[in-house]
Amino acid sequence: MKNEKQTNSVFLQGRIGSTIEYSHDLYGERFYEFKLNVPRLSEHLDVIPITASEQLVNSLKEDELIAVSGQFRSFNRPDGERSRLILSVFAREILPPLAEVNPNTAELIGYICKPPIYRTTPFNREICDVLLAVNRAYSKSDYIPCIAWGKNARLIKNAPVGQKLDVSGRIQSRQYTKRLDDGDVQIRTAYEFSIGAVEFMQKESEVASTSDD
């Protein structure tokens, strides 16, 4: 364990819900993708995409119960003349299942990179969408869509671009309907970070300025 707090950490536990398929090579290492069915307290399952190296998946089987420790990452995939933000949990460890654990926990530390979008549902439930840029090694960043509800939505709705947040919660999946340019309709799956708790943090420059006063 590092003393420094991690900016991106995920723990999931569930059953492998798809075939394990080759994804890509990186620096001579082969990576694979599969879906993990992660239970909620309700009957619903969150179906979360996992990316893992060959050495982590070579003994796994479909429907096997496993635990995954890693990071929630993003990349852009070309989609016609545009690109789509693709989200996946990058597995650092795949472990035997653990007893009596929360099967879906995650924490991010990142910066708001677009103005938050606040709205209410027809049932008057408050929701706020926010996109966080989460730094990782080699000057890369992951762009993670997050959703906050109720009190947390009210806290975040007026936060400025550049505000640093520490959020904890879970990763969720949901289906939506996408109407294409040719008129066809597709059912797609969106992945997002559901915020359970939020802490506003100072930027490093602000901390330095405060300590100099």
Side-chain angles (χ1 to χ4, degrees):
M1 292 287 292
K2 295 181 180 179
N3 292 327
E4 184 180 353
K5 195 170 187 178
Q6 295 185 37
T7 60
N8 189 334
S9 61
V10 174
F11 175 86
L12 301 174
Q13 183 161 293
R15 291 193 179 275
I16 298 174
S18 70
T19 56
I20 299 171
E21 298 181 342
Y22 169 76
S23 171
H24 62 279
D25 277 28
L26 185 63
Y27 302 122
E29 191 170 13
R30 293 169 66 87
F31 288 86
Y32 291 76
E33 293 179 343
F34 61 92
K35 297 291 197 304
L36 190 70
N37 295 333
V38 180
R40 294 191 192 180
L41 292 177
S42 65
E43 296 289 322
H44 184 80
L45 291 175
D46 286 302
V47 182
I48 309 299
I50 308 293
T51 302
S53 66
E54 184 174 28
Q55 64 178 352
L56 291 179
V57 304
N58 58 15
S59 63
L60 297 182
K61 300 173 185 175
E62 191 169 347
D63 201 43
E64 184 175 351
L65 181 63
I66 62 170
V68 175
S69 175
Q71 296 182 328
F72 200 19
R73 292 189 178 180
S74 71
F75 66 94
N76 286 310
R77 175 177 291 167
D79 185 9
E81 295 181 355
R82 305 174 184 174
S83 63
R84 278 204 298 151
L85 186 70
I86 304 298
L87 297 157
S88 178
V89 170
F90 180 82
R92 291 192 176 280
E93 292 183 282
I94 293 181
L95 309 164
L98 306 175
E100 298 181 1
V101 296
N102 186 332
N104 190 336
T105 60
E107 184 172 9
L108 302 175
I109 297 175
Y111 300 86
I112 296 176
C113 53
K114 288 184 179 180
I117 299 172
Y118 174 84
R119 63 192 190 280
T120 56
T121 70
F123 298 101
N124 215 29
R125 193 175 186 192
E126 297 169 288
I127 303 174
C128 189
D129 296 307
V130 61
L131 187 66
L132 286 188
V134 179
N135 294 335
R136 62 174 149 111
Y138 308 112
S139 301
K140 293 184 178 180
S141 296
D142 294 294
Y143 294 89
I144 308 298
C146 303
I147 186 166
W149 308 82
K151 176 184 174 182
N152 288 330
R154 293 193 297 275
L155 282 172
I156 293 172
K157 68 178 183 178
N158 294 319
V161 171
Q163 173 65 54
K164 188 177 184 181
L165 299 180
D166 182 343
V167 295
S168 58
R170 61 183 176 83
I171 299 170
Q172 67 182 24
S173 65
R174 60 177 174 83
Q175 289 191 328
Y176 68 99
T177 301
K178 172 73 172 180
R179 186 171 294 278
L180 305 180
D181 293 339
D182 61 7
D184 286 347
V185 173
Q186 286 185 352
I187 302 297
R188 292 185 174 179
T189 303
Y191 307 101
E192 58 202 357
F193 187 103
S194 180
I195 295 173
V198 58
E199 177 186 348
F200 284 68
M201 303 178 72
Q202 288 181 299
K203 297 178 183 178
E204 286 76 4
S205 59
E206 293 172 343
V207 173
S209 175
T210 301
S211 62
D212 288 343
D213 288 344

